[in-house]
Amino acid sequence: MADLEYSVTDGVATILLNRPQAKNAFTLDMIEEWAAALHSARRDPAVRVVVLTGAGDAFCSGIDLSVLQAVGEEPLALKRMLTEGVHDVARAVDALDKPLIAAVNGAAVGAGMDMALMCDIRVMKSTARMSEGYIKVGLVPGDGGCYYLPRLVGMSRALELLWTGDFVDAAECERIGLVSKVLDPEEFESGYRSLARRLADLPPINVAMIKRAAQQSVHSDLRTALDLISSHLAVVHGTADSREARLALQERRAPSFTGN
C-alpha cells in the first residue's frame, strides 16, 4: 500500500495519509506526492472539493524524525529541506481555489497540526487532539504554525499554544475556533463526507471567487476589498451557473451546476 493515496469520487478528491504504523508521520516522498495531488485537484475540473485525512487512529504526527536525522545539523541543509520540500504543500494549498477540508480523525501534532490549520475547514473527531509540540523537541514551528494559528485564534491564545506545546482536545478546539465542527466517532466519516458533498454541489466559480475574496480581504483595506468583490460579482452574474441558480429558484427545483 502507498504511504499517500489520492482518489476522486463524485467530485470529491481525497488525500489519505497512509502510514498508520508511524501515526502518519510524513516523509519527503510523501510531501512530493501530497503537493502533486493538490496540483492535480486544482487542474481537474471534475474535482470540486478536496478532503485531507489520515489512516488509523492519527491524523498526522508531523515529519518523520528519520528525515531530520538524514538532513543532519547543517543549518542551510535543514532550511532547504523545508523551503524546497515541506513547504511545497503550503504553496500548493495557497494555489488551490477549491474548498479543502481537513478531516482530523486523530492526533495532529507539530507539522501535522500545521497541515490541518492551512486547510479551509477543519472537522474533528471528538476523540482527536491537537498540539503544536515543536517546543517540546527543541524546535520552532516549521510549517506555517506561526502564520496560520494567530489568524484563527488570535495572537494571545496562539502564542500560548505555540509556547507550551500543550495538547488541546476536540471540545476546546471547537470552543476557540480551531475547528468548525466536532463529530462523534460513529458519525465522523459520514459527517465530513456530507459536508464535502454539499460543497461539491455548489457552483464552482462562485466558490472559488468567495474563497479568494475572503482570503485577500485579510490583507487589504475595506475600499480595496469592496472594489474586488464588485468585480467578482459582475463576472459571476454572467455565468451559466449563475443563471441556472436563479432559474432553479424560480422553478422551485434543485439547481445543476456545470462550472461554466
Side-chain angles (χ1 to χ4, degrees), residues 120-199:
D120 300 314
I121 297 173
R122 282 155 297 284
V123 178
M124 195 170 185
K125 188 181 288 189
S126 60
T127 54
R129 302 188 300 165
M130 288 189 181
S131 167
E132 278 284 353
Y134 292 93
I135 201 162
K136 293 185 176 181
V137 291
L139 298 174
V140 297
D143 197 22
C146 291
Y147 177 87
Y148 299 108
L149 198 53
R151 287 167 166 77
L152 291 170
V153 301
M155 186 62 72
S156 178
R157 179 54 61 89
L159 287 173
E160 179 186 350
L161 295 174
L162 292 164
W163 280 334
T164 65
D166 286 348
F167 272 96
V168 185
D169 64 23
E172 181 68 0
C173 284
E174 184 176 35
R175 189 185 73 81
I176 66 177
L178 268 180
V179 300
S180 60
K181 187 174 296 187
V182 171
L183 298 171
D184 291 333
E186 60 271 15
E187 61 178 352
F188 178 69
E189 184 169 1
S190 62
Y192 76 73
R193 290 290 177 192
S194 176
L195 173 61
R197 180 73 263 148
R198 182 178 180 186
L199 297 179

Side-chain angles (χ1 to χ4, degrees), residues 3 18-25 55-57 64:
D3 288 344
N18 196 31
R19 295 185 74 211
Q21 74 283 2
K23 302 297 183 183
N24 298 319
D57 63 358
D64 194 294

